[in-house]
Amino acid sequence: MSLISDNLQAVSQHIRATEKQYSRPPLEVKLLAVSKTFPVQAIIEAAQWGQVAFGENYLQEALDKIQFVRENQPELALEWHFIGPIQSNKTRAIAENFHWVHSVDREKIAIRLSEQRPATLPPLNICLQINVSGEASKSGVPPTEAVKLALRIASLPNLRLRGLMAVPEPSEDVAEQRAAFAALRQIQETLQQRGLALDTLSMGMSSDLDAAIAEGSTIVRIGTAIFGKRDYAK
């Protein structure tokens, strides 16, 4: 057993226990291993212990990892999620190489992803990023604009709007954590009432995992608890 395998097991057990604590259906919450800044060897090791979905923030780093795995470990059927801010000049590479995008918050970006998704690939799974805390420094569409943008994205070809994503303002207060996640869930419910078949809430990281699961998260984004502390100086 390796450190990564031990960590994966511990995180998975915690997710399953928290599901049970809050009366969530077993295995409803998916683990997205956030592998940004970690070497591709760490991804391969995690994959060999059963982890399938990996989240990346930095496009060129991610493309290098995707290519390495394709060329050297083609038997690993990994699922790549882009979770970072998206610049217009990066949409083609994202559309061509990823299975999911969690960070769409502008119509222009959604249109470009739709137009640039290869016809040979299945629809690109999309989460609309919502700025639930109203932080000026955070990406995400304001909640008041979420319905209009979601309906527009849902109408685009080559995309499948799956749900919503948020990165709330950090808080150590569990009630505040839950309130932010509840706000995202309520937007999802509003969109479902408008006829959108949304099945995904991408919310919760290591510091607020339990609150996210309590409020309905279906994808939790966990990095350091699996791979260790990041060294951004590298």
Side-chain angles (χ1 to χ4, degrees):
M1 298 288 282
S2 70
L3 181 61
I4 288 178
S5 67
D6 288 345
N7 290 344
L8 271 173
Q9 185 176 47
V11 170
S12 296
Q13 288 175 347
H14 183 84
I15 292 171
R16 303 284 84 86
T18 308
E19 284 177 333
K20 185 175 181 180
Q21 178 183 352
Y22 292 105
S23 301
R24 298 287 303 280
L27 304 178
E28 188 173 56
V29 180
K30 178 178 181 176
L31 172 60
L32 178 61
V34 179
S35 44
K36 65 175 183 180
T37 78
F38 293 107
V40 68
Q41 288 78 12
I43 293 174
I44 291 171
E45 184 174 346
Q48 289 171 340
W49 289 100
Q51 180 62 27
V52 172
F54 293 88
E56 293 283 336
N57 289 58
Y58 310 121
L59 181 58
Q60 189 55 56
E61 175 192 336
L63 294 176
D64 291 343
K65 293 174 181 177
I66 292 169
Q67 182 178 0
F68 184 92
V69 173
R70 284 175 179 166
E71 293 178 354
N72 296 279
Q73 305 277 167
E75 74 281 4
L76 295 178
L78 303 187
E79 185 179 274
W80 297 98
H81 295 235
F82 193 79
I83 59 177
I86 304 173
Q87 298 170 305
S88 295
N89 64 343
K90 305 293 177 64
T91 53
R92 181 175 298 278
I94 293 172
E96 290 176 348
N97 290 280
F98 286 82
H99 302 90
W100 284 74
V101 181
H102 292 233
S103 44
V104 175
D105 62 359
R106 286 173 288 158
E107 182 179 356
K108 175 183 177 181
I109 295 298
I111 291 172
R112 289 176 67 90
L113 291 171
S114 172
E115 292 174 343
Q116 295 167 346
R117 181 68 168 176
T120 54
L121 296 178
L124 183 60
N125 295 295
I126 299 294
C127 286
L128 175 61
Q129 183 172 355
I130 310 292
N131 188 345
V132 291
S133 300
E135 295 177 88
S137 61
K138 285 279 178 69
S139 301
V141 63
T144 53
E145 300 175 19
V147 172
K148 180 180 179 181
L149 182 53
L151 291 170
R152 177 69 178 115
I153 293 172
S155 72
L156 294 172
N158 307 315
L159 304 181
R160 181 184 174 194
L161 182 62
R162 297 291 298 270
L164 309 176
M165 186 272 263
V167 185
E169 185 176 7
S171 173
E172 295 183 0
D173 184 278
V174 174
E176 290 181 0
Q177 293 174 357
R178 290 193 62 164
F181 293 135
L184 192 69
R185 175 173 45 78
Q186 288 161 6
I187 295 171
Q188 182 193 42
E189 292 170 354
T190 297
L191 291 168
Q192 289 169 334
Q193 291 167 2
R194 295 291 297 268
L196 298 184
L198 305 185
D199 60 6
T200 300
L201 284 175
S202 172
M203 60 187 196
M205 298 183 287
S206 297
S207 60
D208 51 19
L209 172 66
D210 291 18
I213 293 175
E215 294 297 338
S217 175
T218 60
I219 298 179
V220 291
R221 308 182 303 272
I222 308 296
T224 54
I226 297 170
F227 298 109
K229 188 176 180 180
R230 289 189 174 86
D231 182 2
Y232 287 98
K234 289 183 178 180

